[in-house]
Amino acid sequence: MVIVTTIRREVLTMPAAELGPDNPLPPLRLPHEVHRIEDRERDELPRDMARQAGYEPLRSLLPVRVRDQYGRSREPRDIDALVIENDRLRATVLPGLGGRVASLVHKPTGRELLYRNPVFQPAAFALNGAWFSGGIEWNIGATGHTTLSCAPLHAARVAAPDGGEMLRLWEWERLRDLPFQVDLWLPDRSDFLYVGVRVRNPHQRPVPTYWWSNIAVPETRRVLVPADEVWHFGYERRLRKVPAPTHAEIEQHPYAADYFYDLPEERRRWVAALDEDGHGLVQTSTDALRGRKLFIWGKAPGGRRWQQWLTEPGTDGYLEIQAGLARTQLEHVRLDAESEVSWLEAYGPLNSPPTAGEVEARLEAALPRAGVDAAYAAWKPCADTEPDEILATGSGWGALEVLRADYKLPGTPFEESALGDAQAPWLHLLRAGYLPEPRRVRPPGQTLVAPHWRDMLETAPATPLTEYHLGVAQWHAGDRAQAVRSWERALQLSPSLWPLLRCLAVADQVSGNPERAADRYTEAFDDLCAERRDNGESWTAATAALGREAIEALLAVGRTAQARAVWDRLQPAVRRRGRFRLIEAGLLLAEGGPEEARDIFRAGFEVADLREGAETIGRLWARLSDEPLPAHYDFRMRPPEA
């Protein structure tokens, strides 16, 4: 009996950590980014790669907020899923978590084609923090994991090219202000999941664009790509061309590494990951998605610790195979004004001897290259088809932009009904010409920083709240002196001083005035403690975020007693978090108590929001002890000499 392709709702119950609220402090500084090369390194790259590597790298996370308030306590929780299925494949998609394809099962054999993480555990790998491992993720925006990794997308049922059903995901990516869509469908009796992707630039200016589809597969699989050379990037921040590594070399490589395959222009785009019996997954695409990549964690203790960190003890590790718009993830591609870029991907099972030639021949037999091009041509007219049934709702930011500019985006409706509390003051600014004063005392909301919103703020009445948001937008635009003036003007009349003082403190740090920054952080934290109304989620997040920055700023200038005073006013639950246990160890060391600091390490702690490539724990331990760093604190991703 033939099973017609269907889309249905499902609820997954799994051990999951709470995401927690966003960090309410605007990210005025870009977090430490490990995926960059020095300017001098670009001189040795091919001209087109060098140009794209230097084209509009991300300089700010604004208007996005950081997500760093999650923990590591996992409990069974329900996660909404959408399942698309025919008689050959079953794909499970998580619309509330970036549209992640959490599972892809080949039904005739019962094989899971992906690495399926049995837990939901956020870690600080996304550009804005929270991310989780496993499955297939859609990375758009800038170099790194998308800010939408743990965010809801819009989802709907749409007519597929063959007349069946298609699952459409879409959102407004806020770092680059670009709407995008991902269409998933399973043709009748097909062994391949088809994925049509479109990124649109509705603006009257070119925009830097980035896309990498990231596929997690079991670590033991052999990766095959039709390329003899790779661009190797390690966490020493060097990009160099080397022969493509063998499977044995990959298995023995000590440290985390990226291998960007240098595919010849004329070759078909594909990547496969096969087990020792030759079974596994193959991904292929139309030629627009030109890049292919392998990421490994390496065999050194740091890489093994990260593998454990992202799941639960006893779980097998994973590696990542990826496909992107450029040859490497260090590049951004120009998307011209009022244009779009689109392509088709296909994911399915493959059984083959472990050579690139055999894999390509069997892929051609199972899914000809011409068949992929034909499927793309059939999908393109369907990309504008309006949804039949809404299955999930994303953010209201796209709806706000559509209202502002009257964009016509057929196929991806950003309905006014999606507008929420976060968009409400900006909708008021758009329609009435000014920001409304908040009805109750609370941390300020998100700031919109695009030029059109900055222009509206500049012409609105100069209330303290408007000056605060205007300063953030000016800072984002690189006009730091004017941002400082806006914040200083707001201080004269604002009933809430701490958000402004914190922004000015960051400005002092950036301009090389750490003592004044420490003064302002102290004053800001005092004001926040006086203003805080309760121990609810938003106030606790603000206190934790500002307290952390204040302590670090005070310790940086040797004002240990004041740092201790800030620590003492943090809520007990905040002080028990792993991040703050690490801060306390540094504080104790500054106070002349190395033994007490070592006691914190002996008691054990877990820094939930430890960033990829971070070496904070190891550096502090080196100041406390001559002994090797304990294994459960070792997250190093590069050789010690690097």
Side-chain angles (χ1 to χ4, degrees), residues 213-225:
S213 300
N214 185 353
I215 310 134
V217 295
E219 188 179 32
T220 54
R221 291 191 184 176
R222 180 190 298 266
V223 175
L224 297 114
V225 183

Side-chain angles (χ1 to χ4, degrees), residues 31-274:
H32 171 68
E33 175 51 59
V34 296
H35 299 100
R36 288 198 178 176
I37 56 174
E38 303 298 335
D39 289 345
R40 63 178 181 275
E41 293 284 335
R42 291 207 301 267
D43 295 339
E44 301 180 9
L45 300 178
R47 184 173 299 177
D48 62 329
M49 282 182 64
R51 182 179 63 253
Q52 292 186 159
Y55 175 49
E56 297 285 344
L58 193 67
R59 292 182 171 86
S60 170
L61 286 180
L62 290 164
V64 176
R65 283 186 164 180
V66 172
R67 307 198 75 170
D68 60 1
Q69 302 289 304
Y70 51 86
R72 291 191 55 81
S73 177
R74 296 190 288 268
E75 298 177 4
R77 304 183 199 276
D78 291 341
I79 297 176
D80 290 333
L82 296 170
V83 177
I84 178 169
E85 181 173 19
N86 66 3
D87 60 334
R88 309 291 294 174
L89 287 174
R90 181 173 61 249
T92 303
V93 180
L94 309 180
L97 294 170
R100 183 80 57 102
V101 180
S103 169
L104 184 62
V105 174
H106 185 232
K107 293 168 67 175
T109 61
R111 290 193 179 96
E112 172 62 68
L113 301 181
L114 308 174
Y115 166 76
R116 182 172 185 170
N117 197 333
V119 305
F120 172 67
Q121 177 55 64
F125 279 66
L127 288 165
N128 63 331
W131 169 89
F132 65 106
S133 65
I136 306 170
E137 60 179 299
W138 318 110
N139 290 307
I140 180 173
T143 300
H145 294 282
T146 176
T147 61
L148 296 166
S149 293
C150 292
L153 303 190
H154 300 280
R157 196 188 309 268
V158 186
D162 60 358
E165 292 188 328
M166 181 163 65
L167 174 61
R168 174 164 298 161
L169 307 166
W170 73 98
E171 242 309 349
W172 192 280
E173 199 286 313
R174 301 178 66 208
L175 292 180
R176 304 300 196 183
D177 259 344
L178 297 177
F180 71 96
Q181 71 187 76
V182 179
D183 289 353
L184 305 98
W185 77 101
L186 290 166
D188 188 27
R189 286 177 265 192
S190 172
D191 271 331
F192 284 85
L193 172 68
Y194 286 174
V195 181
V197 182
R198 175 167 64 169
V199 182
R200 290 190 271 202
N201 176 13
H203 308 292
Q204 296 180 344
R205 66 182 189 281
V207 176
T209 309
Y210 174 95
W211 184 282
W212 282 81
S213 300
N214 185 353
I215 310 134
V217 295
E219 188 179 32
T220 54
R221 291 191 184 176
R222 180 190 298 266
V223 175
L224 297 114
V225 183
D228 297 323
E229 295 181 304
V230 298
W231 291 95
H232 171 264
F233 179 79
Y235 286 74
E236 309 90 343
R237 295 194 178 190
R238 292 194 60 206
L239 184 66
R240 53 195 176 90
K241 199 171 190 179
V242 299
T246 66
H247 181 58
E249 289 171 336
I250 289 169
E251 284 191 312
Q252 297 305 315
H253 195 279
Y255 292 99
D258 295 329
Y259 296 100
F260 299 102
Y261 290 88
D262 195 19
L263 275 70
E265 287 290 339
E266 70 280 0
R267 293 299 296 270
R268 183 177 183 178
R269 273 67 166 124
W270 61 264
V271 57
L274 308 178

Side-chain angles (χ1 to χ4, degrees), residues 84 127 169 199 205 214 257 262 280 311 322-323 334 370 412 421 457 476 483 526 530 549 567 573 589 592 630 639:
I84 178 169
L127 288 165
L169 307 166
V199 182
R205 66 182 189 281
N214 185 353
D262 195 19
T311 182
Q322 303 185 27
R334 176 188 169 108
T412 54
D421 291 343
L457 289 169
H476 171 75
D526 288 344
E549 290 187 11
W567 170 268
L589 177 61

Side-chain angles (χ1 to χ4, degrees), residues 404-610:
R404 181 194 63 80
D406 194 28
Y407 291 130
K408 307 303 181 187
L409 300 169
T412 54
F414 292 97
E415 302 289 355
E416 195 168 342
S417 59
L419 294 168
D421 291 343
Q423 293 82 39
W426 299 96
L427 182 62
H428 194 278
L429 174 65
L430 178 65
R431 289 177 168 168
Y434 66 94
L435 284 176
E437 289 299 314
R439 295 181 179 179
R440 57 188 175 89
V441 177
R442 59 182 176 182
Q446 300 187 50
T447 303
L448 296 183
V449 297
H452 41 265
W453 293 106
R454 188 173 72 248
D455 290 345
M456 280 185 254
L457 289 169
E458 287 175 344
T459 57
T463 65
L465 182 62
T466 300
E467 294 281 19
Y468 163 78
H469 286 299
L470 176 58
V472 175
Q474 290 165 331
W475 182 272
H476 171 75
D479 192 351
R480 293 180 172 177
Q482 190 59 54
V484 168
R485 284 192 286 271
S486 295
W487 293 326
E488 288 177 339
R489 283 196 303 269
L491 275 178
Q492 309 305 315
L493 298 173
S494 179
S496 183
L497 302 180
W498 66 268
L500 298 159
L501 289 166
R502 182 265 175 178
C503 289
L504 290 167
V506 173
D508 286 332
Q509 289 177 320
V510 170
S511 64
N513 197 335
E515 289 288 352
R516 190 166 64 186
D519 290 338
R520 282 177 159 154
Y521 267 121
T522 301
E523 189 178 351
F525 194 74
D526 288 344
D527 186 68
L528 171 58
C529 290
E531 183 179 289
R532 189 175 68 208
R533 293 296 185 262
D534 53 46
N535 288 328
E537 186 178 78
S538 62
W539 285 111
T540 298
T543 305
L546 184 59
R548 171 180 168 179
E549 290 187 11
I551 292 171
E552 291 171 348
L554 288 162
L555 288 179
V557 295
R559 289 153 68 166
T560 309
Q562 287 178 290
R564 172 60 68 180
V566 172
W567 170 268
D568 288 342
R569 282 183 290 173
L570 294 172
Q571 295 101 316
V574 170
R575 293 201 297 261
R576 288 194 294 270
R577 296 178 189 174
R579 166 63 64 182
F580 287 86
R581 295 287 286 161
L582 177 63
I583 290 172
E584 184 183 19
L587 178 57
L588 287 166
L589 177 61
E591 291 173 330
E595 189 59 32
E596 292 85 346
R598 283 191 289 269
D599 284 343
I600 289 178
F601 275 83
R602 295 184 188 110
F605 57 86
E606 292 185 326
V607 180
D609 62 325
L610 193 68

